[in-house]
Amino acid sequence: MKHVRGVEMAAKYSRGSVGKYRNQWRGRITRIDQDGTRHNLTRMLKDELGEPIPCEKSTQRGKNTALGALARWRADLIAEDERRGDGWEGTRDIDGVTVSEYLSRYLATLESSHSVEKSTLLTYRSTEKRIDAALGDVPVADLTREQVQDWVKTMGEEDGLAPRTVIKSFRTLHQCLNDGVKNGTLRSNPCDGVKMPKHDREQPSSLTKKQAIDLLASLEAMPQTRVVCAARVSLLSGLRIGEICALKWRDVDFQQHILNVNKAVA
């Protein structure tokens, strides 16, 4: 890359694209140097917890997650180029700021900007005390991957927390620090590369045909309250709670016997 007065000039990056490769989502980004040289970059994409994003040949399952991972990768490439410049002084903005203070500011910004769902914010808030207790006094600019890894290990082995709870707590910290990397106040995210505890994914349980018929008969015999009607819709259509709660009368086509589902509530 070219240099101007000792400052390294950043390359340009395309918005990129995602595609399927060997049952996983893969990202592709084109890097354009200052002299016009083009470099095609590819990598297998991973979700926010560092897990590969699976895909299926016949569906687009996982594509939105892949696009999010692509955007994070592109942001990391741009941030890395900026950090290589001689004039990068981002950490001066957070000198002396602890993890606790930085996390508090991040959550307050999310709340005031309404950029996340209330349920997501509540999840973040529920893990804040756990993060504060273990890492709150550490200057955020000095936090290391080893410290984060030790914290994750302690939550599982000494505190006896379930893997899902450990991952939720870690995810809050990871998101907070990732935001710092994107806005240029942090050089890197010490959560990157931290290994998560293994956990068995819960297998969805479903009713047998007989159980479904018996339940439907019981529901039809009850007073048709909103809850009973919602249960019948769920049983007959397979819709999720959020999708059912978002339904309006205008979504029902009585002539064609069609229920239009186009949104959900948290």
Side-chain angles (χ1 to χ4, degrees), residues 31-144:
R31 169 191 170 123
I32 307 172
D33 291 341
Q34 291 293 312
D35 60 3
T37 303
R38 302 172 71 90
H39 307 272
N40 290 322
L41 311 177
T42 61
R43 71 184 292 183
M44 303 308 295
L45 299 172
K46 295 183 179 182
D47 62 21
E48 295 174 351
L49 298 179
E51 298 292 333
I53 305 172
C55 66
E56 299 173 349
K57 290 183 178 180
S58 58
T59 71
Q60 295 298 305
R61 184 173 71 90
K63 185 174 182 179
N64 287 338
T65 303
L67 289 172
L70 179 73
R72 290 193 298 273
W73 177 30
R74 182 175 183 271
D76 289 344
L77 290 171
I78 294 173
E80 181 62 27
D81 276 358
E82 292 175 348
R83 288 195 292 273
R84 288 173 181 168
D86 296 338
W88 193 84
E89 300 176 346
T91 53
R92 289 190 178 183
D93 296 333
I94 53 172
D95 280 348
V97 176
T98 64
V99 170
S100 177
E101 293 168 335
Y102 196 81
L103 177 60
S104 179
R105 293 179 189 177
Y106 171 70
L107 296 179
T109 300
L110 289 182
E111 186 171 11
S112 62
S113 64
H114 305 288
S115 56
V116 297
E117 297 288 346
K118 289 184 178 179
S119 57
T120 301
L121 186 61
L122 286 174
T123 299
Y124 289 166
R125 290 291 188 190
S126 69
T127 61
E128 184 178 8
K129 290 183 179 180
R130 193 171 295 122
I131 296 170
D132 284 349
L135 303 170
D137 294 334
V138 180
V140 67
D142 297 336
L143 186 65
T144 66

Side-chain angles (χ1 to χ4, degrees), residues 181-194:
V181 173
K182 290 179 181 179
N183 64 36
T185 56
L186 293 175
R187 289 182 176 276
S188 61
N189 189 340
C191 290
D192 290 343
V194 172

